[in-house]
Amino acid sequence: MSKVNAKRHAMEKKSSDQESKKLNQIIFHKHLKRVYPIGLQKSSSSSSISSFSSSLSQNSNDPCFTDSLTIADEEVSLALHSISPRQRREHTLINISQQQQNQHAAELGELKRCSWITKNCDKAYIEFHDECWGVPAYDDKKLFELLALSGLLIDYNWTEILKRKEVLRQVFAGFDPYTVSKMEEKEVIDIASATELVLAECRVKCIVDNAKCMMKIRREFGSFSSYIWSYVNHKPVINKYRYSRDVPLRTPKADAISKDLLKRGFRYLGPVIVYSFMQVAGLTIDHLVGCYRHKECVNLAERPWKHI
């Protein structure tokens, strides 16, 4: 073969290789768009990667698609790294960092809390404010516990109730509404006679009766959580009060819930008690805006609703 012919053959081969590569890339993008539209806005859904992987498996028998994958490995890698898991990891790291800062500030006594939390407050009440109050609760057992504890505000304040909390959990079977609803008269009398609780028999019977009412709601709505959260459209009400005097004792929403609960047979659940329950169960976020927990509870409130 002459030098001229050899040069021409090399140029034709190079051109053919370029056209083949270009064709493969076109075929690859055609399949890729069907699997995961990378050109669209990035999704925050965790299902994006699983959908992508599943579709790749379904198309793996296509020869053109398999060849194209070999050519565009780098593009796939870049696409996978650009979607949500990295964002979630960064968000998690930010949350961990914030929690560490708050913990350090707590150790130094520098955390700014709601104005009603003072240095003279009982430790149990401070922990209650920091860990429970305003945190959205979706589990029926937790909601029943908070409803029962809120009902005791008729006789006690939160500090006195919290000091009895562990004993209350023991005598009321971890506040399992089904178990409590089955309690008989003898068990009610035994609980009322417990010296650690100093709880009137009528209050014990009230908790048992309310458990029975909750079971009826569960049969009707699937869960008490579904029922109670429907009053706020399954998303906590986020308030931005600056001063404790601005925080209400009751609201029209609490009035409506109380009225329906009483109609369904619940006892000792007036609007003020119901609003206290809404606050502690996170149906409403009433931490003052200057409190470090306000932002944290708002972040929890903005998660998708996950009732149990």
Side-chain angles (χ1 to χ4, degrees):
M1 183 183 295
S2 66
K3 292 183 179 181
V4 175
N5 290 337
K7 187 176 181 181
R8 182 182 300 169
H9 178 73
M11 291 177 65
E12 289 176 352
K13 187 176 184 302
K14 183 178 180 181
S15 176
S16 176
D17 290 343
Q18 288 176 344
E19 289 178 1
S20 177
K21 184 177 180 181
K22 186 176 181 180
L23 178 60
N24 284 335
Q25 287 178 335
I26 292 173
I27 294 172
F28 170 76
H29 284 294
K30 179 181 177 181
H31 283 274
L32 188 60
K33 281 191 174 183
R34 190 175 68 209
V35 176
Y36 182 81
I38 293 176
L40 299 179
Q41 185 175 357
K42 297 170 186 175
S43 168
S44 60
S45 170
S46 60
S47 64
S48 298
I49 287 184
S50 60
S51 299
F52 182 76
S53 302
S54 175
S55 298
L56 287 182
S57 299
Q58 292 170 5
N59 289 285
S60 61
N61 295 327
D62 188 332
C64 294
F65 186 76
T66 305
D67 292 339
S68 302
L69 284 176
T70 305
I71 296 170
D73 282 341
E74 291 184 3
E75 293 188 39
V76 175
S77 179
L78 289 172
L80 291 176
H81 279 290
S82 69
I83 54 182
S84 60
R86 179 181 178 182
Q87 297 174 353
R88 288 201 301 273
R89 285 196 300 272
E90 290 175 350
H91 181 67
T92 301
L93 289 174
I94 292 172
N95 285 341
I96 292 174
S97 176
Q98 184 64 47
Q99 290 171 2
Q100 290 174 342
Q101 291 176 15
N102 289 338
Q103 184 179 357
H104 181 64
E107 292 171 355
L108 298 176
E110 297 174 353
L111 279 180
K112 186 175 181 181
R113 297 180 171 92
C114 294
S115 59
W116 55 85
I117 302 297
T118 66
K119 293 181 179 179
N120 296 326
C121 286
D122 189 90
K123 182 181 178 181
Y125 187 51
I126 296 175
E127 290 178 353
F128 174 68
H129 168 275
D130 291 354
E131 299 172 8
C132 180
W133 202 74
V135 175
Y138 302 102
D139 177 69
D140 274 6
K141 283 186 180 180
K142 185 65 176 178
L143 288 168
F144 179 56
E145 175 180 334
L146 297 176
L147 190 68
L149 296 181
S150 298
L152 296 179
L153 288 169
I154 295 175
D155 296 321
Y156 306 103
N157 60 41
W158 271 120
T159 298
E160 294 170 328
I161 293 170
L162 293 170
K163 287 181 178 180
R164 295 171 169 82
K165 185 176 66 173
E166 291 307 319
V167 180
L168 287 166
R169 281 178 176 170
Q170 291 175 12
V171 299
F172 285 111
F175 285 102
D176 175 57
Y178 175 78
T179 304
V180 176
S181 69
K182 298 296 182 181
M183 286 184 173
E184 299 180 353
E185 189 68 24
K186 183 181 182 302
E187 293 173 282
V188 172
I189 295 173
D190 289 342
I191 294 172
S193 61
T195 56
E196 310 97 305
L197 291 177
V198 193
L199 205 59
E201 186 177 328
C202 63
R203 299 294 181 230
V204 178
K205 197 170 189 312
C206 171
I207 293 174
V208 174
D209 290 343
N210 286 349
K212 294 176 180 178
C213 293
M214 181 176 282
M215 292 307 299
K216 292 179 182 178
I217 286 181
R218 289 175 73 170
R219 286 192 289 269
E220 182 179 349
F221 293 88
S223 69
F224 182 76
S225 182
S226 298
Y227 162 79
I228 200 68
W229 278 97
S230 67
Y231 276 97
V232 291
N233 295 321
H234 308 293
K235 187 174 182 180
V237 177
I238 300 173
N239 294 313
K240 297 181 180 180
Y241 300 124
R242 293 187 175 278
Y243 307 102
S244 58
R245 63 174 179 268
D246 298 330
V247 181
L249 290 175
R250 59 190 287 182
T251 63
K253 187 74 70 177
D255 290 351
I257 295 174
S258 171
K259 184 178 180 180
D260 192 61
L261 288 174
L262 295 174
K263 182 180 177 181
R264 292 174 179 274
F266 285 82
R267 300 168 58 199
Y268 297 108
L269 291 179
V272 175
I273 294 297
V274 167
Y275 194 66
S276 294
F277 164 71
M278 293 175 68
Q279 290 174 318
V280 69
L283 277 82
T284 178
I285 308 299
D286 276 358
H287 283 283
L288 302 182
V289 291
C291 174
Y292 86 98
R293 285 294 288 163
H294 182 272
K295 183 178 180 181
E296 293 183 352
C297 287
V298 167
N299 288 339
L300 292 173
E302 291 176 344
R303 297 179 307 178
W305 180 60
K306 296 179 180 178
H307 80 279
I308 297 178

